[in-house]
Amino acid sequence: MLDDGTQISPTLARMLACDAALIRAVLNGHGQPIDLGRERRLYTGAARTAIEIRDGGCVWPGCARPASWCQIHHLIPWSEGGRTDQTNGGLFCWHHHREIEHGEWEAIHHRGRIWLRPPDSLDPNRRPRINPTHRPPPPQHHWPPEASGGPGP
Ligand SMILES: [Zn+2]
Ligand SMILES: [Zn+2]
């Protein structure tokens, strides 16, 4: 619930927590705060600019939305110990930020690029994909390894 009383979904709450100055407050049944979190760390200034230059726009495969439409998603959530550094941030437009927070796709940093690993319902091998729209694709030997495992024998 936002401070004005608006009820939001867990996915939207994660999106907002990813790239906004939020303070988490856990309330008891009487609306009194029983736990106040610390204000989260954000990508600002040079750290934000560096990611905007690196990614050029939304990193979702096929998405053409430019950096100015994007938020910076923490690949490992800040609440789970993820750092606010270049290897843990990627540009996502509003639509795809919601998609990645939904949890089926996985975003990974590999050799200075952000890759998207699809859910096994779309690709049993979960082969990582890259968005070549804003930045040229890297040489093939820089591609990340495919997910190990997959369907069992
Ligand atoms: Zn996020
Ligand atoms: Zn996008």
Side-chain angles (χ1 to χ4, degrees):
M1 189 172 71
L2 299 178
D3 55 4
D4 66 356
T6 307
Q7 295 274 353
I8 60 174
S9 70
T11 296
L12 183 56
R14 282 193 293 274
M15 284 177 68
L16 294 175
C18 208
D19 196 27
L22 279 194
I23 300 176
R24 176 178 55 86
V26 179
L27 307 180
N28 67 14
H30 306 289
Q32 291 156 340
I34 52 175
D35 180 25
L36 283 176
R38 56 199 171 131
E39 188 169 358
R40 51 172 309 99
R41 226 183 125 195
L42 301 174
Y43 287 96
T44 55
R48 175 173 286 269
T49 303
I51 289 176
E52 288 177 351
I53 291 170
R54 182 196 67 195
D55 294 343
C58 179
V59 297
W60 199 274
C63 185
R65 293 190 178 104
S68 58
W69 289 34
C70 290
Q71 306 167 329
I72 297 184
H73 168 65
H74 283 69
L75 275 48
I76 300 168
W78 188 80
S79 58
E80 292 171 16
R83 291 159 45 159
T84 301
D85 64 19
Q86 282 184 48
T87 62
N88 195 40
L91 281 185
F92 287 78
C93 69
W94 175 262
H95 175 76
H96 288 125
H97 195 187
R98 188 172 57 196
E99 194 70 30
I100 194 73
E101 295 288 357
H102 199 66
E104 291 187 329
W105 289 69
E106 182 188 358
I108 53 175
H109 177 272
H110 177 74
R111 287 179 176 259
R113 297 291 294 268
I114 304 298
W115 300 74
L116 275 294
R117 206 189 276 288
D120 55 12
S121 57
L122 279 181
D123 175 3
N125 295 320
R126 304 201 65 203
R127 192 174 291 117
R129 306 171 185 194
I130 198 165
N131 188 0
T133 307
H134 310 283
R135 297 288 180 258
Q140 197 146 2
H141 63 272
H142 282 183
W143 289 14
E146 293 175 19
S148 57

